Amino acid sequence: MLEVLTFPDSRLRVKAEKVTVFDGELARLAEAMMRAMYDNSGMGLAAPQVGEAIQMVVTDFNAPDHNPATRCPKAWVNPEIRERTGEMTTEEGCLSLPGFRALVARAESVTVVYQTLEGESRQENLTGLDAVCLQHEIDHLSGKLFIDHLPPVRREMIKKKLTRQARSA
Ligand code: NI
């Protein structure tokens, strides 16, 4: 069972390496990440959040339903946003920042290029909450957290609370 790292763990701030080997180990990691995502009722999880500094995220855009019958897990390897259009503000949370939610403005639509677990190149257009979720996860690959999008005062307040929480845990 993978442990999801929480702020202020420094491993959440690393720049993840590109994946170059598409083998069983990568597929097993993706599977373990999906299990951790479901166990924690998340909609997405990035490899650095489980201490693996590689460019891979997993998502399930149906996950808010928490219905195992409609699960739609997907792994995105070396994902990169090529185009952003529009703007959309939604309330975000993150498994690495437990207990905090905040409004974040992001692109409403994105075009993303990525590779499958087998190394095949793909391109997809996403809009709305799906696009927001993937942008949030891709941020993790460069060590960025959703609080980094907030005004400095609010960001510092959340950081202080989280650091205090971590110390008393
Ligand atoms: Ni997150």
Side-chain angles (χ1 to χ4, degrees):
M1 181 63 200
L2 291 174
E3 187 203 350
V4 178
L5 306 177
T6 54
F7 185 90
D9 197 302
S10 60
R11 287 169 288 179
L12 292 169
R13 294 305 199 174
V14 299
K15 204 165 167 8
E17 300 281 336
K18 235 181 154 76
V19 173
T20 53
V21 181
F22 298 83
D23 58 3
E25 202 183 321
L26 185 73
R28 277 191 295 279
L29 175 63
E31 236 170 76
M33 283 170 59
M34 285 165 185
R35 268 201 303 278
M37 173 178 74
Y38 290 125
D39 286 348
N40 290 287
S41 303
M43 196 177 164
L45 190 65
Q49 290 181 278
V50 295
E52 298 287 340
I54 60 165
Q55 292 181 23
M56 177 163 74
V57 310
V58 297
T59 59
D60 187 335
F61 300 140
N62 288 342
D65 299 339
H66 298 301
N67 178 1
T70 58
R71 275 184 183 173
C72 180
K74 188 174 167 98
W76 309 72
V77 184
N78 299 326
E80 211 179 294
I81 294 170
R82 284 291 162 81
E83 244 183 271
R84 296 178 157 82
T85 53
E87 194 185 286
M88 180 170 172
T89 301
T90 56
E91 197 183 51
E92 295 188 20
C94 178
L95 296 179
S96 294
L97 302 162
F100 285 91
R101 301 187 70 79
L103 291 171
V104 179
R106 297 187 187 270
E108 189 185 16
S109 304
V110 294
T111 300
V112 56
V113 293
Y114 67 101
Q115 283 168 285
T116 65
L117 288 169
E118 292 76 38
E120 286 162 34
S121 296
R122 296 277 159 80
Q123 179 173 317
E124 238 172 271
N125 301 310
L126 299 174
T127 59
L129 288 179
D130 300 2
V132 165
C133 175
L134 196 64
Q135 288 172 84
H136 173 121
E137 298 311 329
I138 290 177
D139 268 359
H140 278 296
L141 302 181
S142 53
K144 204 165 176 188
L145 302 171
F146 81 81
I147 52 172
D148 299 327
H149 291 277
L150 304 179
V153 174
R154 175 119 174 85
R155 180 168 64 232
E156 289 314 312
M157 197 190 76
I158 292 180
K159 277 185 182 172
K160 261 187 215 143
K161 278 190 188 162
L162 281 162
T163 306
R164 214 177 304 136
Q165 245 176 29
R167 264 197 228 115
S168 61

